[in-house]
Amino acid sequence: MENSSGRIAIIGLGYVGLPLAVEFAKHYPVTGFDINSGRIHELQSCRDHTLEVASEQLKGVICMELKKDHVGLYCSNHLDSMMDCNYFIVTVPTPVDRYNNPDLTPLYKASETVGKVLKKGDIVIYESTVYPGATEEECVPVLEKISGLKYNVDFFCGYSPERINPGDKNHTVTKIKKVTSGSNPETAEKVDALYRSIIVAGTHKASSIKVAEAAKVIENAQRDINIAFVNELSKIFNRLNIDTQEVLEASATKWNFLPFKPGLVGGHCIGVDPYYLAQKAQSVGYHPEIILAGRRLNDGMGAYVANEVVKLMLKKNLPVIEAKVLLMGITFKENCPDVRNTKVVDIIHELTSYDISVTIYDPWADAAAVAHEYGLDIINDLSADKNEYEAAIVAVAHTEFLDCLWRAKLKPNAVIYDVKGCLDKNIVDARL
């Protein structure tokens, strides 16, 4: 594609949308749209609190004025900034509600927004994770209703699932092969060409939007099931007094052994996407057994960890009621500020049910974000903390935790539980 052949709008400038917008903005005129005015101001100042894009990268593409044919990224929360765009890429989150039912509200709202500026010949591409069929069954009717245009006659759609891995500086957006699709063969080729122009890893053009949607949702369901398997192994081996990490290391010597590790399964993908597939399966009369069994097991791991810590405290004759526990890490993964759907909070809730006082220490997480999302207080710096703790739980493998300087905050007989298996086994009482 030539630079002049398309002006692109990216709707949603979070972990998925921003890196994509920056890469496209190196070659095309791009409007980055987000309803959060604070986020727009932040990006215009060349700062990204998600740490996915460095300030220097933003400085290289950010435009402070909207210029129709100027290559670069103009960020705005005003609808008219997208009026001249002909490719609209939707990258909003698709969470689940408190009952684990898919919540398509952000997707509906984004579709309404696009519908207001949609013109004849435009292409709308969805990257948000959904169940097979959602793009055409849920989003397209919204686009038609708001725009007054007819699908596959006046406007067209594509689906290209995101594969962003927050915090990963090696597998960045252009280095991960991209699945693409379109609502008809001509649109599919246009969508594929658009992504092919920036994705150095190449693209895979799926035969239909439904195939692309299904491919995305099973990527994370597969990982969820594999992690559930090793989590169950961890529970079994714990009862047999066998170190799970040592078992996995031994098994990994076989060439085709899959190197999954036990742990908490949170975040915006693996802990969420299987519910989308499960709901769709149930809507067509099939009850998914393996998918939901894996979800149940993984969703129970936070409480399991907390109860194991309490057992270890009792074995050491440490008080449980009103005990102090140092919980290290609340983000959903290491060396990343993302706290979306973190399962560390399950450990906290279970510990507090024993009247245990929990101090959450995380140098990466934003305290305001944690307070807003979970109603919890955290500390980013442990040096001023005066507490002495009966137990410590390493819930996230942040680099800052690996030097073990935090052990100075523990009582002599304190329990140390290593959820991530990132510490020397000789200094911990147990690891998952």
Side-chain angles (χ1 to χ4, degrees):
M1 292 182 63
E2 298 296 328
N3 292 356
S4 60
S5 66
R7 181 176 180 87
I8 301 166
I10 308 289
I11 296 87
L13 296 175
Y15 283 86
V16 175
L18 180 62
L20 187 67
V22 168
E23 292 302 328
F24 273 126
K26 295 175 183 178
H27 308 277
Y28 303 97
V30 177
T31 293
F33 180 86
D34 200 291
I35 59 174
N36 185 340
S37 59
R39 178 65 165 162
I40 298 302
H41 178 73
E42 174 186 79
L43 295 176
Q44 288 174 338
S45 302
C46 295
R47 293 181 291 108
D48 172 28
H49 76 271
T50 71
L51 306 181
E52 291 300 301
V53 180
S55 292
E56 289 304 312
Q57 288 179 280
L58 287 172
K59 289 176 183 177
V61 297
I62 288 290
C63 303
M64 297 307 293
E65 295 182 22
L66 179 62
K67 298 179 181 179
K68 184 177 179 180
D69 298 318
H70 182 73
V71 171
L73 174 61
Y74 176 73
C75 297
S76 175
N77 61 337
H78 298 294
L79 198 62
D80 58 6
S81 65
M82 298 189 289
M83 293 294 291
D84 292 325
C85 294
N86 40 38
Y87 286 91
F88 299 87
I89 303 178
V90 177
T91 62
V92 297
T94 43
V96 292
D97 64 20
R98 59 183 296 187
Y99 303 108
N100 293 321
N101 296 312
D103 180 5
L104 297 179
T105 302
L107 210 53
Y108 292 141
K109 295 293 185 183
S111 298
E112 289 175 3
T113 297
V114 172
K116 293 174 183 177
V117 293
L118 199 60
K119 307 174 300 301
K120 286 189 176 183
D122 288 350
I123 295 176
V124 185
I125 305 167
Y126 289 88
E127 288 211 0
S128 307
T129 302
V130 291
Y131 54 79
T135 297
E136 294 174 292
E137 295 167 8
E138 302 292 340
C139 301
V140 166
V142 175
L143 294 172
E144 288 187 317
K145 179 181 177 181
I146 300 299
S147 69
L149 301 175
K150 188 171 179 59
Y151 177 52
N152 269 346
V153 175
D154 300 317
F155 73 93
F156 308 88
C157 283
Y159 184 79
S160 182
E162 61 89 3
R163 282 176 166 171
I164 293 294
N165 186 24
D168 189 337
K169 302 308 178 187
N170 295 315
H171 300 96
T172 50
V173 62
T174 62
K175 298 176 183 176
I176 304 171
K177 195 161 189 172
K178 202 84 163 70
V179 174
T180 67
S181 64
S183 54
N184 60 29
E186 184 182 358
T187 302
E189 180 53 37
K190 288 182 178 180
V191 172
D192 193 68
L194 180 66
Y195 282 104
R196 211 164 54 228
S197 68
I198 66 164
I199 305 294
V200 297
T203 60
H204 174 91
K205 186 165 61 173
S207 62
S208 69
I209 287 176
K210 277 188 177 181
V211 168
E213 291 168 328
K216 168 58 180 176
V217 80
I218 72 164
E219 289 173 15
N220 290 322
Q222 182 186 67
R223 286 183 57 79
D224 193 42
I225 291 166
N226 278 300
I227 297 170
F229 173 61
V230 292
N231 275 337
E232 186 162 65
L233 292 179
S234 178
K235 289 183 174 183
I236 295 169
F237 293 148
N238 178 48
R239 294 194 175 200
L240 297 174
N241 293 317
I242 301 173
D243 189 300
T244 304
Q245 301 291 336
E246 292 182 0
V247 174
L248 294 175
E249 288 169 10
S251 295
T253 59
K254 190 170 187 284
W255 75 91
N256 60 352
F257 183 80
L258 301 177
F260 287 91
K261 293 184 178 181
L264 305 175
V265 183
H268 69 297
C269 283
I270 301 178
V272 172
D273 296 355
Y275 287 121
Y276 276 76
L277 182 57
Q279 189 203 55
K280 186 61 177 179
Q282 290 169 330
S283 74
V284 294
Y286 182 82
H287 179 74
E289 297 184 30
I290 294 175
I291 294 171
L292 292 179
R295 282 281 71 237
R296 283 193 298 272
L297 199 145
N298 284 341
D299 276 348
M301 291 306 293
Y304 172 79
V305 167
N307 285 310
E308 289 299 301
V309 171
V310 169
K311 290 177 186 176
L312 290 167
M313 291 171 68
L314 291 172
K315 287 179 180 179
K316 286 191 169 187
N317 291 319
L318 292 166
V320 172
I321 296 176
E322 296 184 355
K324 293 184 176 67
V325 171
L326 176 63
L327 183 70
M328 288 179 290
I330 194 168
T331 61
F332 91 89
K333 64 182 295 187
E334 65 275 5
N335 303 328
C336 171
D338 195 347
V339 297
R340 290 176 296 171
N341 193 37
T342 175
K343 293 303 177 181
V344 178
V345 297
D346 294 344
I347 299 177
I348 298 165
H349 293 153
E350 190 70 13
L351 289 174
T352 54
S353 73
Y354 288 97
D355 290 333
I356 291 173
S357 173
V358 181
T359 296
I360 308 164
Y361 165 47
D362 194 317
W364 283 82
D366 178 69
V370 175
H372 177 266
E373 193 74 20
Y374 303 107
L376 297 170
D377 295 322
I378 70 169
I379 58 174
N380 297 123
D381 184 2
L382 199 60
S383 60
D385 183 45
K386 303 298 183 183
N387 288 312
E388 282 191 319
Y389 297 96
E390 279 81 13
I393 303 172
V394 180
V396 186
H398 290 321
T399 302
E400 290 86 345
F401 299 159
L402 304 184
D403 58 17
C404 296
L405 296 177
W406 44 267
R407 293 174 66 191
K409 300 292 183 180
L410 307 184
K411 292 184 176 179
N413 199 34
V415 168
I416 300 177
Y417 193 99
D418 183 7
V419 173
K420 298 293 293 184
C422 59
L423 305 179
D424 185 335
K425 70 173 186 176
N426 295 312
I427 68 169
V428 304
D429 293 273
R431 54 185 184 176
L432 196 57

